[in-house]
């Protein structure tokens, strides 16, 4: 059994939980300890005691630790990528790619540790010097979702440690395997004991302790809107800092002048790969009428050629849905779409494969309107809708008519429309001739409106959340 990691030791939890391979539900991937609230509290106490020492560590110490973690992740990307595919269901190339990305993120923040900087300014008063520096917050609580089980923990843990914080990390219930493997690498990285702690367990138990414990000075959360709102209310109630990354209903606009083949590929990649289980997935395909029919025909032809199967099988394009309750949610939205009058132009069927798993063929709705529930609510599965519009202005208005604002995209060969879209898309990320999902690891990631709250993650912008600013005055 894989145990929790607290104060440099592996400790059994109050109970244990199996994680199941969604490609083959007869396969138990592993058995993982589940902490109770008392064990979570103990981990927070340990982190609190270790925080001050790590805040005083040198940039070289931080670089060495983060670089060692990144090196091991990259060296073991094939093995860990396979573990990821087994517990989450994305295909092996996607699992390996995500693990490599986690390694690159640690390498990036290793470099950032050497570039910690502040400002020295002249005071408005004679003889006085002013210095502005960034300091660690203290204990950071990290709560992550199941859909990127190694990359999202990496992009929260790496900056937390880089800027001198101690960490209590709770992975999502469905995917403890990647969280545990990452913790095991961190345990061997030379980090002083107590600075990083892994506490697996339920959100309502371990997560709740992280949110309410006054020793946790910052909570960085990625997950659903409903949980995010609870995180916000609880942290605000005790004046702890928090950062939220939540859902999306991301638009991809395709204009008449787009390269058809490239637009079809961009839409299919963005909407359906990783089984559509990405917060940045293109779930609303907004297509101008001159290209609409050719685009729909092209997407259907491409979907017909996609292989949906066991995540580790050869040549597979789309793995299974993550579990039975997410599958039930996807099927319910497919039913809702049909009852709203949308045309199910492709897929949306349960599939039988050699192993019993949660297989769903990618579903494409056409003849939809932006007011339908399937275009307003996040489905979080391999389901996308086509919305027909007259021209660019209507496309932009529809793209922005949503509660969310994470990613957005346009396929066009017009510099004028591409430029206008980048200026006016109400989203944290805007893509031109690229899928809405798929981003670099060294630049900010995050959204606007209902998708995100607080400062951006990733890149050097991450410092904003993981530090607090001190201004010092000296009369020499
Ligand atoms: P979720 O909100 O159900 O769970 C997220 C995490 O919160 C899990 O670790 C869970 O155990 C924990 N949690 C649950 N209840 C809690 C509580 N009361 N207190 C503290 N923690 C609690 O989300 P999920 O189903 O794991 O993930 C899917 C969601 O994540 C989707 O909405 C998706 O859009 C979103 N997501 C967003 C981004 C982004 O960067 N914007 C990235 C990936 C996923």
């Amino acid at each position: 059994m894989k145990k929790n990691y607290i104060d440099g030791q592996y400790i059994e939890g109050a109970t244990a939980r199996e994680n199941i391979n969604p490609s083959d539900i007869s396969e138990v991937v592993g058995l993982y300890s589940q902490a109770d609230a008392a064990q979570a509290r103990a981990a927070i106490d340990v982190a609190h005691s270790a925080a001050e020492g790590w805040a005083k560590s040198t940039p070289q110490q931080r670089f060495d630790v983060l670089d060692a973690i990144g090196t091991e992740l990259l060296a073991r990307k094939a093995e860990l990528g396979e573990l990821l595919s087994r517990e989450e269901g994305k295909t092996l190339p996607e699992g390996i790619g995500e693990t490599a990305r986690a390694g690159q993120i640690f390498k990036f923040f290793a470099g950032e540790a050497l570039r910690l900087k502040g400002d020295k300014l002249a005071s408005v008063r004679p003889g006085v010097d002013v210095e502005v520096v960034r300091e660690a917050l203290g204990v950071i609580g990290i709560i992550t979702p199941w859909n990127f089980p190694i990359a999202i923990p990496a992009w929260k843990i790496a900056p937390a440690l880089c800027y001198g914080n101690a960490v209590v990390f709770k992975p999502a219930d469905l995917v403890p395997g990647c969280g545990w493997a990452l913790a095991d690498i961190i345990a061997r990285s030379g980090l002083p004991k107590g600075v990083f702690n892994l506490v697996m367990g339920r959100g309502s138990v371990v997560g709740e302790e992280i949110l309410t414990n006054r020793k946790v000075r910052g909570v960085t959360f990625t997950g659903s809107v409903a949980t995010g709102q609870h995180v916000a209310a609880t942290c605000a109630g005790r004046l702890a800092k928090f950062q939220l990354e939540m859902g999306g209903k991301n638009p991809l606009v395709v204009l008449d002048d787009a390269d058809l083949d490239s637009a079809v590929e961009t839409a299919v990649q963005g909407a359906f790969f990783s089984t559509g289980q990405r917060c940045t997935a293109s779930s609303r395909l907004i297509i101008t009428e001159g290209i609409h029919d050719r685009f729909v025909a092209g997407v259907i032809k491409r979907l017909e050629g996609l292989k949906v199967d066991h995540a580790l099988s050869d040549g597979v394009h789309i793995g299974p849905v993550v579990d039975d309750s997410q599958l039930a949610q996807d099927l319910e939205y497919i039913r809702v779409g049909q009852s709203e009058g949308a045309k199910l132009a492709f897929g949306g069927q349960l599939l039988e494969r050699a192993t019993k798993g949660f297989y769903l063929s990618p579903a494409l709705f056409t003849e939809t309107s932006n007011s339908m529930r399937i275009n307003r609510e996040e489905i979080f599965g391999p389901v996308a809708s086509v919305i027909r519009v007259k021209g660019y202005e209507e496309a932009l208005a529809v793209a922005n008519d949503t509660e969310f604002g994470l990613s957005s995209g346009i396929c066009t060969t017009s510099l004028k429309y591409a430029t206008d879209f980048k200026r006016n898309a109400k989203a944290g990320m805007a893509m031109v001739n690229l899928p809405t999902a798929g981003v670099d690891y060294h630049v900010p990631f995050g959204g606007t409106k209902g998708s995100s709250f607080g400062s951006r993650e990733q890149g050097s912008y991450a410092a904003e959340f993981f530090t607090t600013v001190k201004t010092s005055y000296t009369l020499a």
Side-chain angles (χ1 to χ4, degrees), residues 143-148 152 155 170-173 202-204 207-208 211 221-225 227 230 245-248 279 378 380 406 445 451:
I143 301 177
T144 54
W146 51 261
N147 65 328
F148 283 92
I152 292 180
W155 82 52
K170 190 206 96 62
D173 312 23
R202 295 189 64 85
S204 56
E208 208 57 41
L211 300 187
F221 167 86
T222 300
S224 63
V225 174
T227 314
H230 174 65
E245 288 299 343
M246 301 168 288
C279 50
E378 186 183 51
F380 217 57
L406 189 55
F445 176 94
S451 289

Side-chain angles (χ1 to χ4, degrees), residues 80-102:
L80 296 175
E82 186 185 319
L83 171 68
L84 197 165
S85 297
R86 280 171 63 218
E87 76 170 345
E88 198 270 351
K90 64 183 66 166
T91 66
L92 187 56
E94 289 170 337
I96 293 172
E98 186 185 329
T99 310
R101 181 191 173 85

Side-chain angles (χ1 to χ4, degrees), residues 5 8 10 50 53-54 57-70 72 106 161 182-196:
Y5 180 71
Y10 287 103
W54 183 244
S57 60
T58 63
Q60 187 66 51
Q61 282 172 294
R62 298 182 196 180
F63 172 91
D64 289 345
V65 162
L66 294 166
D67 189 58
I69 300 167
E72 187 168 340
F106 274 95
L161 297 177
L182 178 57
D184 188 49
I185 291 172
I186 296 172
R188 283 180 279 100
S189 65
L191 191 69
K193 70 184 176 90
V195 177
F196 171 85

